[in-house]
Amino acid sequence: MNRVYNFSAGPSMLPVPVLERAASEMMCYGDSGMSVMEMSHRSPVYEKIIADAEAKLRELMNIPDNYKVLFLQGGASTQFAAVPLNLIGRTGKADYIVSGQFSGKAYKEAQKMGYDVKCIATSKDTNFDRIPVVTKDMISPDASYVHICFNNTIYGTKYSYIPDTGDVPLVADMSSCIISEPVDVTKFGVIYAGAQKNMAPAGVTLVIVREDLLECGDPKMPSMLDWKLMAENGSMYNTPPCYSIYVAGLVYEWILGLGGLDAMKEKNVKKAALLYDYLDSQDYYIAPVQKDSRSMMNVTFVTGVEEIDKKFPKEAAAAGLVNLKGHRSVGGMRASIYNAMPIEGVEALVEFMKKFAAENPKA
Ligand SMILES: *Cc1c(COP(=O)(O)O)cnc(C)c1O
């Protein structure tokens, strides 16, 4: 078996010990006589799996008791609609910060639904190469919430600070940075994330919501989008994405075993520094993101020559470094170095970049 270093933005690498554990339990989980995939979600054995996953996540992220943890379906994109449906009833208005495509989609979804939403800051005019500056005086005091995307997967940018929104609840899409480092959950009203970047296989979407925010949902909203209903039913109003939740639990356990999110952050800081230090030390590759907005998870770079940008991912793939092609809206390359990417993968990438630069002069 020849595993490659997979730099995919998502679905993306899972930790090898997690895959091995899932494989070893594939045919028979514990003494249940069946795979987790085959179990009733109402069985005591599965009820323990989901309860353990939640307990481990609470421990890992230090989630206070007044926050609900929901394991839902539909991906982060479904939450673009669920957020206004559940929250905008507070005041009828909301603020959005548009720092890339996903936050733009979230904003448009709320607009499409006819809600009174306002984009209070954007970095669109510089092709999202930075996080827009957000200060407290920019927030509408009567907004139901302020929506941000904490890490912009496509552009490789991340907030280096948590915006101060005063009493207005902050809602953050953390799909591509969740559990990569500690965050102070109490600074947020809602955190949500699709699992397939840094947490589990596709299929489960995590929502962490402060309890007092569950009181203003639109009564006409579809049940499947209703956080309160999902919370009352322990994420089992209908069949949950059972297997993805099980793998998420294994991932949380893996991180706890490494020493939790402080230890995870230390590893991630080292990996990102290896790549950014190299990018800053030479002038063959260009890193388009402003330094104070750099993502620790998604690192974008270009050579500035289209043919060379096209050649890079192909040759890298032949060397066992796959999925390095950048998103079409940025071009060039993107290395997604989530929790499961070992430092050896990043070292191999930097060595490859040096060799490639030497072999492909820019005329
Ligand atoms: C991938 C991604 C999404 C979309 O997630 P789906 O689960 O595919 O709907 C939304 N936001 C961010 C930040 C992402 O990285």
Side-chain angles (χ1 to χ4, degrees):
M1 184 179 52
N2 230 349
R3 280 182 61 85
V4 292
Y5 289 121
N6 178 8
F7 294 89
S8 170
S12 37
M13 282 185 81
L14 284 164
V16 169
V18 167
L19 293 175
E20 284 171 342
R21 169 89 176 270
S24 77
E25 293 175 339
M26 177 60 75
M27 296 305 286
C28 181
Y29 178 83
D31 56 8
S32 70
M34 61 181 87
S35 167
V36 177
M37 289 188 198
E38 302 171 297
M39 278 175 194
S40 162
H41 60 294
R42 308 281 179 203
S43 61
V45 57
Y46 191 76
E47 277 176 359
K48 184 168 178 343
I49 290 174
I50 193 170
D52 283 352
E54 175 175 339
K56 282 173 197 144
L57 182 68
R58 284 186 178 277
E59 183 184 346
L60 194 58
M61 290 184 69
N62 198 17
I63 301 173
D65 288 343
N66 64 324
Y67 283 74
K68 295 288 186 193
V69 171
L70 310 176
F71 295 109
L72 307 179
Q73 304 199 46
S77 303
T78 297
Q79 296 306 315
F80 298 165
V83 165
L85 283 166
N86 282 277
L87 297 179
I88 211 164
R90 297 179 71 239
T91 66
K93 292 179 180 176
D95 286 351
Y96 279 74
I97 297 162
V98 175
S99 57
Q101 281 194 17
F102 291 116
S103 47
K105 282 184 175 170
Y107 175 55
K108 279 201 195 113
E109 189 81 345
Q111 269 186 326
K112 181 177 149 188
M113 293 159 84
Y115 291 121
D116 184 2
V117 291
K118 193 163 96 184
C119 170
I120 58 164
T122 182
S123 46
K124 189 164 192 263
D125 53 347
T126 55
N127 197 31
F128 301 120
D129 68 342
R130 70 195 73 196
I131 296 296
V133 177
V134 184
T135 52
K136 204 171 163 181
D137 56 295
M138 294 160 70
I139 312 294
S140 313
D142 59 346
S144 294
Y145 60 89
V146 179
H147 181 281
I148 63 171
C149 177
F150 209 50
N151 183 80
N152 297 281
T153 324
I154 292 174
Y155 300 89
T157 62
K158 181 183 177 280
Y159 283 79
S160 59
Y161 66 100
I162 299 174
D164 179 4
T165 56
D167 289 337
V168 179
L170 183 60
V171 176
D173 176 356
M174 290 201 187
S175 294
S176 50
C177 59
I178 189 98
I179 59 174
S180 61
E181 61 181 336
V183 286
D184 182 353
V185 174
T186 65
K187 296 273 194 297
F188 298 87
V190 180
I191 293 170
Y192 68 92
Q196 69 274 18
K197 311 280 166 54
N198 210 18
M199 218 155 47
V204 61
T205 309
L206 175 70
V207 174
I208 302 168
V209 51
R210 212 174 64 209
E211 253 166 14
D212 62 288
L213 298 176
L214 294 174
E215 302 309 325
C216 35
D218 182 336
K220 287 209 201 80
M221 88 176 111
S223 302
M224 286 299 291
L225 302 184
D226 186 340
W227 294 339
K228 189 174 187 204
L229 182 70
M230 287 295 166
E232 284 166 355
N233 287 277
S235 301
M236 295 223 250
Y237 171 73
N238 72 328
T239 315
C242 301
Y243 196 75
S244 295
I245 295 169
Y246 154 74
V247 178
L250 296 183
V251 169
Y252 306 149
E253 195 175 320
W254 173 71
I255 301 173
L256 287 169
L258 296 175
L261 290 183
D262 287 312
M264 198 72 252
K265 178 180 185 177
E266 201 179 307
K267 282 177 189 291
N268 287 330
V269 165
K270 268 194 200 137
K271 287 186 299 185
L274 205 59
L275 208 38
Y276 285 122
D277 286 350
Y278 170 63
L279 285 168
D280 291 341
S281 73
Q282 51 79 59
D283 52 17
Y284 184 84
Y285 303 99
I286 303 146
V289 168
Q290 301 291 314
K291 282 191 185 171
D292 62 355
S293 296
R294 282 176 167 175
S295 166
M296 185 163 68
M297 297 280 100
N298 312 97
V299 180
T300 49
F301 54 94
V302 301
T303 67
V305 181
E306 206 175 319
E307 303 85 82
I308 299 183
D309 279 352
K310 273 201 183 119
K311 193 172 171 191
F312 185 100
K314 283 185 197 149
E315 291 205 357
L321 310 167
V322 310
N323 286 318
L324 282 158
K325 188 173 182 299
H327 191 275
R328 60 193 176 278
S329 43
V330 181
M333 278 65 73
R334 170 178 52 178
S336 295
I337 49 174
Y338 299 118
N339 288 350
M341 174 61 69
I343 190 145
E344 291 79 12
V346 183
E347 286 166 352
L349 174 59
V350 171
E351 283 317 303
F352 176 83
M353 289 169 77
K354 289 179 186 168
K355 182 168 161 281
F356 182 88
E359 288 171 1
N360 295 277
K362 291 188 201 168

